[in-house]
Amino acid sequence: MTRVRVTAPRSAPRPAGETREAAEESEVGQVFVRSLIRSQLRLALVVAVGFMLILGAFPVLLAAVPGLAETRVAGIPFDWLLLGAGIYPVIGLSAWLFIRSAARNEARYRDLAGDK
């Protein structure tokens, strides 16, 4: 049996963040960094609150539909199935939206700071 080492292709090392450090030391750079931090915090709060609202809406929805508690799918009560398995797509969608938006915020910061 042959051992194979899987590695990323060698690339030139990135500069030690000279542009980033210069941007963070100036007043404008500090404003950019504070803006990035605020936008990331706002994004985290919006995603967390949205997720909690959706999670809180599941039991309300189940209580609002009469007869749903008696419905069974493969011997499992539908409300348990919805709460147990139906929440995972919501978690995945929330995580995907958060990562996509956070990357976009960071890309905007890098563009403003001049760190290509």
Side-chain angles (χ1 to χ4, degrees):
M1 187 156 112
T2 305
R3 293 183 120 193
V4 177
R5 175 181 270 177
V6 179
T7 61
R10 293 192 185 258
S11 60
R14 292 186 61 172
E18 296 169 6
T19 308
R20 183 177 301 130
E21 289 173 3
E24 290 175 358
E25 289 176 4
S26 69
E27 281 187 42
V28 174
Q30 290 175 356
V31 169
F32 288 159
V33 170
R34 282 195 306 269
S35 174
L36 174 65
I37 291 170
R38 277 195 313 266
S39 66
Q40 296 292 55
L41 178 62
R42 187 179 324 114
L43 173 64
L45 290 174
V46 165
V47 170
V49 167
F51 175 73
M52 295 306 270
L53 286 174
I54 291 171
L55 185 63
F58 270 86
V60 173
L61 173 70
L62 293 174
V65 178
L68 197 59
E70 292 83 26
T71 305
R72 294 186 173 270
V73 175
I76 302 171
F78 182 72
D79 52 352
W80 282 57
L81 191 63
L82 184 62
L83 288 172
I87 200 64
Y88 288 107
V90 175
I91 292 170
L93 181 64
S94 298
W96 179 75
L97 287 172
F98 178 78
I99 290 171
R100 184 172 164 225
S101 300
R104 187 174 50 233
N105 287 344
E106 291 172 5
R108 286 179 186 159
Y109 167 74
R110 281 192 307 271
D111 289 342
L112 289 173
D115 188 19
K116 304 286 181 197

